[in-house]
Amino acid sequence: MAVNLIPWLRGRRNGSRRAQGQPRLPDLFEGGPKTLMAIMAHPDDIDFTSAGTIAKCCAAGWTVYYVLATSGDKGTHEDLTRQELAAMREQEQREAAAALGVKEVIFLGYPDGFLEATTELRGQIVRLLRKHQVDVVLTWDGFRRGFNHMDHRNIGIATRDALYPAVRDHLYYEEHLAEDLAARPVNELLLAGADDPDYFVDVSDFIEAKVDAILCHRSQVSTRDRDEMLKNHRERGRRAGQRGNWESFKRVRIGRPPRQQRQEPASSTQAEPAPAGASQSRT
Ligand SMILES: [Zn+2]
């Protein structure tokens, strides 16, 4: 579904945009490379929603980790066992991640279609955030209205609950101290699949990388034609009135923004001219 977001947009910083009303925060691509962890339900979730953003982060020197709660062991109509399909999809995801420059792919091994936002899952996420000293998390919007996959909903909720306040406070999952994993805040959250996206990343220079990542998911895509897929992605942007290709997120800042940002004079938040054709097709 293509959604025209032109009237909402203001502010363009380093190839990303924020929506009208969004507090003025430092753009995620400012301030040097960061560590991002994408925490999703199934192999291919990241690539269909966010591969352009991931490619952009890797190209900018960021360290990126993928965490997949399941290995997608139900996603086929072929005559395969769950174990065969899981092995196939893990390999596809590893190939897609390697193509973009992702450092590591971690599978948690939950059964596809039955993911629950348990204290165990939340603790596993907290542990990984502490271990890899993550700055930015990308996950599904667990509160998306309308149709939603149970696994998407629950990984989104578990991840959000891991960020606030569990990862920050040392008495949550205090067994991590025995591994020398200190409590630390993770303040930046990007939600994919949101009903009300307010943060837009220009991925025009990374659309080929995105298509290549998607095509790694051979068990999930109906076409193997790279040129056709590239053409479809570019036409989708043009049909929606876009100049270039964008990926859209809901940006959530956990806690208070940095002090210097809160003290900006009101005049610094004046709207810039609405950029032409900023809209996004959701996958
Ligand atoms: Zn999924």
Side-chain angles (χ1 to χ4, degrees):
M1 179 174 63
V3 181
N4 193 331
L5 300 164
I6 296 171
W8 298 2
L9 294 170
R10 62 192 285 192
R12 177 174 184 155
R13 319 185 98 197
N14 291 340
S16 59
R17 296 168 177 166
R18 64 195 164 88
Q20 205 161 33
Q22 172 81 346
R24 190 177 183 89
L25 296 169
D27 189 85
L28 288 175
F29 288 91
E30 292 180 5
K34 299 179 174 68
T35 297
L36 180 146
M37 183 170 279
I39 305 171
M40 294 292 226
H42 312 113
D44 82 11
D45 286 353
I46 300 169
D47 295 302
F48 277 105
T49 62
S50 317
T53 300
I54 298 297
K56 187 169 189 166
C57 290
C58 291
W62 290 39
T63 303
V64 177
Y65 297 92
Y66 285 0
V67 177
L68 285 310
T70 83
S71 297
D73 60 75
K74 308 290 193 308
T76 190
H77 300 294
E78 304 292 322
D79 185 19
L80 294 166
T81 66
R82 289 192 294 108
Q83 291 77 12
E84 288 169 338
L85 180 60
M88 186 183 298
R89 296 196 65 186
E90 287 182 8
Q91 179 59 26
E92 291 170 351
Q93 182 64 88
R94 287 195 179 95
E95 289 176 22
L100 299 181
V102 171
K103 183 170 183 179
E104 187 178 352
V105 184
I106 299 157
F107 293 95
L108 300 183
Y110 287 91
D112 187 358
F114 293 87
L115 192 66
E116 302 275 1
T118 62
T119 54
E120 180 195 14
L121 174 59
R122 180 160 45 129
Q124 288 176 294
I125 296 168
V126 168
R127 182 177 175 279
L128 290 168
L129 296 173
R130 289 173 173 169
K131 177 180 178 184
H132 296 292
Q133 305 197 6
V134 172
D135 304 305
V136 181
V137 165
L138 190 161
T139 189
W140 281 114
D141 185 348
F143 297 100
R144 171 178 167 153
R145 298 181 296 274
F147 86 95
N148 201 355
H149 193 296
M150 172 183 176
D151 294 348
H152 296 182
R153 181 167 63 246
N154 284 330
I155 195 65
I157 289 171
T159 300
R160 201 162 175 150
D161 290 345
L163 261 64
Y164 184 80
V167 71
R168 185 197 64 185
D169 293 350
H170 71 283
L171 294 180
Y172 281 85
Y173 301 101
E174 55 193 335
E175 65 272 21
H176 295 167
L177 290 173
E179 300 179 68
D180 273 340
L181 301 178
R184 60 192 305 282
V186 181
N187 289 326
E188 292 286 356
L189 179 60
L190 293 179
L191 301 176
D195 292 309
D196 49 353
D198 58 11
Y199 187 73
F200 308 88
V201 179
D202 182 354
V203 297
S204 304
D205 293 340
F206 300 94
I207 203 68
E208 293 195 15
K210 176 170 185 167
V211 164
D212 287 341
I214 290 172
L215 284 171
C216 288
H217 298 280
R218 294 174 291 277
S219 68
Q220 305 299 305
V221 292
S222 56
T223 179
R224 302 289 295 277
D225 188 330
R226 183 176 187 268
D227 291 339
E228 181 191 350
M229 192 175 280
L230 271 173
K231 185 163 161 262
N232 288 342
H233 269 78
R234 290 182 172 130
E235 283 183 354
R236 188 185 301 169
R238 278 195 285 275
R239 278 201 305 274
Q242 288 182 339
R243 187 172 57 201
N245 285 86
W246 298 75
E247 289 175 343
S248 58
F249 305 95
K250 178 81 175 172
R251 183 179 177 186
V252 178
R253 171 84 195 180
I254 311 291
R256 305 179 79 186
R259 187 173 183 79
Q260 66 273 20
Q261 296 301 320
R262 285 187 278 118
Q263 291 183 337
E264 278 186 332
S267 60
S268 69
T269 61
Q270 291 298 308
E272 299 170 24
S279 55
Q280 177 63 37
S281 297
R282 296 179 190 165
T283 54

